[in-house]
Amino acid sequence: TQLLEQSPQFLSIQEGENLTVYCNSSSVFSSLQWYRQEPGEGPVLLVTVVTGGEVKKLKRLTFQFGDARKDSSLHITAAQPGDTGLYLCAGFSYNQGGKLIFGQGTELSVKP
Amino acid sequence: DSGVTQTPKHLITATGQRVTLRCSPRSGDLSVYWYQQSLDQGLQFLIQYYNGEERAKGNILERFSAQQFPDLHSELNLSSLELGDSALYFCASSSPSGQAMDSPLHFGNGTRLTVT
């Protein structure tokens, strides 16, 4: 059973389109991180959200932490081919033994 | 460049064998984490060390073991290898404070293990 469910698992869109990736759980997390991973490389941190309802923006990327700190979303505006990659959410919970738990990831492909 | 170095990049071995994966954390980072990434399981937490001591354990098999040395580099030992152990193994390190267990992780580029 995956503690963090990401959807969709795969997303293929055209350049310029908008998209949203969701990360959901029945558990409460003290913080949630989003990473991006490219083929042949390790995940790279994009953002950390810690407060329920928090919204953070990173250029064309907008991250939101749910009010109850059980879910998060990543919205990309006007996607570009350079956004292609695997997007991973990771939640930290003391109830889970203080481990950072990763979702399965969303594989995004942006076609020119 | 994350500053985390993993060797080797690729490893091909036979079932029943034993291998050692090595990780050098970012300069100054005291925590080292090991993760296994496979297509069907995603990124699975194996184990964490902080300043030489085991701090948290995940779904690590008994055939697997790890340690962190005084110079803070870490090794992951995988023994009695099975076909299902084929995966990408990532090492990550985090901030030197060690107090905030949810500190961002800095990942190496992984070791791709293929068991034939």
Side-chain angles (χ1 to χ4, degrees):
Chain A
T1 303
Q2 198 70 20
L3 198 60
L4 275 171
E5 297 285 344
Q6 281 189 244
S7 62
Q9 287 189 40
F10 301 95
L11 194 52
S12 181
I13 61 172
Q14 292 296 129
E15 182 176 1
E17 291 184 18
N18 301 332
L19 66 114
T20 302
V21 175
Y22 299 93
C23 177
N24 296 304
S25 177
S26 57
S27 300
V28 175
F29 293 99
S30 61
S31 67
L32 200 135
Q33 300 172 6
W34 283 92
Y35 290 79
R36 178 166 164 261
Q37 183 179 12
E38 296 190 49
E41 298 181 6
V44 176
L45 179 72
L46 296 173
V47 78
T48 300
V49 285
V50 295
T51 306
E54 181 177 3
V55 176
K56 279 192 174 178
K57 290 193 175 184
L58 190 66
K59 296 183 181 178
R60 293 176 293 100
L61 279 59
T62 302
F63 304 85
Q64 185 163 7
F65 201 12
D67 291 340
R69 304 208 315 276
K70 292 183 179 180
D71 55 85
S72 180
S73 65
L74 157 60
H75 182 79
I76 301 179
T77 304
Q80 298 176 3
D83 295 327
T84 293
L86 178 68
Y87 289 83
L88 295 155
C89 66
F92 178 82
S93 169
Y94 286 101
N95 291 337
Q96 298 298 324
K99 298 188 285 286
L100 193 63
I101 307 297
F102 280 81
Q104 289 275 68
T106 294
E107 187 74 54
L108 172 65
S109 173
V110 182
K111 301 185 188 312
Chain B
D1 183 7
S2 68
V4 178
T5 304
Q6 287 189 250
T7 56
K9 286 187 178 181
H10 302 277
L11 203 47
I12 301 174
T13 190
T15 54
Q17 295 299 305
R18 172 189 168 95
V19 297
T20 298
L21 312 184
R22 184 188 166 99
C23 169
S24 293
R26 264 188 347 159
S27 178
D29 283 357
L30 300 179
S31 281
V32 168
Y33 309 73
W34 286 98
Y35 282 84
Q36 179 193 59
Q37 187 176 42
S38 58
L39 284 174
D40 58 340
Q41 293 289 325
L43 205 58
Q44 298 288 316
F45 170 72
L46 295 178
I47 199 164
Q48 179 202 356
Y49 282 85
Y50 174 73
N51 203 21
E53 293 191 5
E54 183 183 306
R55 193 163 192 186
K57 212 166 186 176
N59 301 322
I60 187 166
L61 300 172
E62 285 193 12
R63 300 183 286 108
F64 296 1
S65 65
Q67 55 183 329
Q68 186 179 29
F69 295 87
D71 67 352
L72 300 177
H73 91 270
S74 179
E75 292 182 357
L76 178 67
N77 300 295
L78 315 176
S79 61
S80 302
L81 284 167
E82 302 175 358
L83 295 178
D85 297 329
S86 296
L88 268 168
Y89 291 84
F90 284 102
C91 169
S93 68
S94 69
S95 71
S97 70
Q99 295 301 310
M101 294 183 70
D102 60 344
S103 299
L105 302 185
H106 302 271
F107 284 84
N109 285 335
T111 292
R112 181 174 293 280
L113 173 66
T114 303
V115 183
T116 61

